[in-house]
Amino acid sequence: LLTALRDSGLELVSVYTGANFIYDEILDDELFKIERAALLAKEFGASRLVVGGGAKRPDGPKSDDFKKVGRGLDMTADIARAHGLESSYHPHLGTISESLDGFHQIMDNCSWFPTKTDHHIPKMISSFHIHESKGLPPDSIHRNPNLV
C-alpha cells in the first residue's frame, strides 16, 4: 500500500473502524480492534483515526448505553493520541447515534464534545447520514463547535 500511495502521489488521511461500545462483554475486543486500526493508520501515514457507529439494541437503548459510547470514544481518543493520531467520531444510520436525541446524549457523555472550541479535542465528522435522519439542526452545531 505504501508503494501504491507513493507511486500515485496519494496520501492516506484516515483509517476507519466501527465500534460497539455498549456490550461490556466485548469491550476489550473492540479496543483491541481500535488499537490495531491505530497501528495500521500510523504505519500507512494516516493522521486520523475515525471510529464510527455504535451498536443499537433491537429493543431500544438501555439507560447507560450512551454513557458507554461516550466512555468508549474517550478511550478511542486515548488510543489515537498514544499513536500520534487525531481522532474523529462518525455516526451512521442504523446505529445508536442516528437520532438527534442519541447524538446529543453521546455528546453529553463524552469529553470529545466541549462547550468551547479546543484545538486538542477530537473532531466529530458530520455527514449526510445525520442529515438524512433529520438530525443535526443548527443548534447541534452550536453545542459542538468541533464539527467537521
Side-chain angles (χ1 to χ4, degrees), residues 23-101:
Y23 302 113
D24 294 331
E25 61 274 13
I26 65 165
L27 181 60
D28 290 342
D29 296 333
E30 291 295 293
L31 294 173
F32 176 80
K33 177 180 66 172
I34 292 166
E35 178 76 28
R36 291 285 303 143
L39 285 167
L40 290 169
K42 190 68 171 178
E43 179 180 343
F44 291 107
S47 60
R48 180 173 301 276
L49 176 65
V50 180
V51 66
K56 185 167 115 175
R57 297 179 194 272
D59 297 330
K62 291 186 178 180
S63 62
D64 61 348
D65 281 352
F66 295 102
K67 289 179 185 170
K68 288 179 179 182
V69 174
R71 177 191 68 192
L73 292 176
D74 287 339
M75 288 187 272
T76 298
D78 291 341
I79 291 169
R81 239 185 327 274
H83 294 284
L85 301 169
E86 295 182 47
S87 50
S88 298
Y89 176 62
H90 177 74
H92 273 288
L93 291 175
T95 69
I96 194 169
S97 62
E98 74 177 354
S99 72
L100 184 58
D101 180 58

